[in-house]
Amino acid sequence: MQEEKTSLKKEILSYLKIIVITVIVVLGCKQFLFAPIKVQGASMYPTYHDKDIIIVSKMSKIERFDQIVFQSPTEDELYIKRVIGLPGDTVEMKDDVLYVNGKAYKEDYVNRQTEDPNQLRITENFTLEQLVKEKKVPEGMYFVLGDNRLKSYDSRHYGLIAKDAIYGEAKATLYPFKHFHMGPK
């Protein structure tokens, strides 16, 4: 009888240790390595849909065209946008063509669908200097745009994003909400 109680206590302690270690590992990973984030809104459509859950890496080196999650400069929310301009870059949009450091880029990820048949451009013409009064993206800053340019609140509106405001890089879609239908079509 005494042996059974001792054995039961050891087994319970063993399970408790496993649970505590698992919680510590999960919380540590979420705090320092990666975290799930829920997409809100349509500013990154078609890359991400409203309510998609994405995995954000907190350890990634930020490169051009990465999708990053960052603290909004205007409200207490996290935003997700695409990095267009890195420190030292010039950025210009002319006739719906993106130019970074004078090189034209084809932006296949941009939503080019519009409800207005008279819509001439998806992205208005601009230079970095017109938007943020800088010829080049300053050190420690980034220029970001949403993929759904007609519905995105981004660096064209609130300026550059500081490196220390970046939460991480979107690496994977964990829960692609777009694949599930609820209710009638």
Side-chain angles (χ1 to χ4, degrees), residues 5 14-15 25 33-34 40 42 61 67 71 126 144 175 184:
K5 285 184 179 180
S14 174
Y15 284 122
V25 168
L33 300 177
F34 58 87
Q40 295 181 0
K61 179 179 186 262
Q67 301 107 51
Q71 179 61 48
F126 66 80
V144 298
Y175 179 68

Side-chain angles (χ1 to χ4, degrees), residues 73-74 81 124 131-132 143-145 149-160:
T74 60
K81 305 290 179 206
E124 72 281 0
L131 295 177
V132 300
F143 183 83
V144 298
L145 294 174
R149 301 281 165 76
L150 294 172
K151 297 185 180 191
S152 181
Y153 186 62
D154 50 38
S155 283
R156 296 171 294 171
H157 307 95
Y158 49 68
L160 301 167

